[in-house]
Amino acid sequence: MQSAKARFKGLLDARLSVLGTIGANAPFIGLMGTVLGVIKASNDLSAKDPDKIMFGVFQALIATAVGLFVAIPAVVSYNFFLRKVRTALAQIDSLAHLVLANVHAAEHRGAGIQAPQSAKAM
C-alpha cells in the first residue's frame, strides 16, 4: 500500500513544482525589469526630458506589476493544489488503515483469508 501511495503521490506532485517555480521566480523577474527601468530613467535624466524620464519609470512599474500579476495566481494555485494533494494522500492513508484493521479483525475472528486452491496444492 505504501508503494502504491508513493506512486500516486508522484503523479499528483508532478506539475506542482512548475507552479512553485513560477510563483517563486516571477517576482525576481519583475524586480529585474524594475531595476532596468530605473537605470533607463536615470540615464534619461541627462536628457532633461521629463517624458523620457517618466517613460523609464513607467517601464519599471509595468515590470513590477507583471511580475506580481504572474506570481500571485501561481502561488495561490500552488497552495490550492498542494492542499488537494495532501487531502488525497490523507484519505489514502485512512483507507489503508481501515483495510488493514478489517483484515486484522477478520484474522482474529478466525475467518482468515483463504489461500487460492492453486496455492494449497503446492
Side-chain angles (χ1 to χ4, degrees), residues 4-17 19 78 81-92:
K5 177 186 163 191
R7 282 192 310 267
F8 189 63
K9 182 181 185 313
L11 292 173
L12 293 175
D13 283 343
R15 292 182 181 90
L16 275 180
S17 60
L19 277 177
Y78 174 80
F81 288 117
L82 185 62
R83 179 167 291 241
K84 290 280 191 186
V85 166
R86 287 182 181 163
T87 300
L89 293 176
Q91 289 173 342
I92 289 170

Side-chain angles (χ1 to χ4, degrees), residues 13-59:
D13 283 343
R15 292 182 181 90
L16 275 180
S17 60
V18 173
L19 277 177
T21 301
I22 290 171
N25 291 312
F28 295 119
I29 294 169
L31 180 62
M32 182 178 69
T34 302
V35 169
L36 293 175
V38 170
I39 289 171
K40 182 183 179 327
S42 297
N43 285 338
D44 291 340
L45 279 174
S46 62
K48 298 193 185 320
D49 183 8
D51 289 337
K52 276 186 148 184
I53 297 168
M54 288 310 295
F55 184 72
V57 172
F58 181 72
Q59 283 180 328

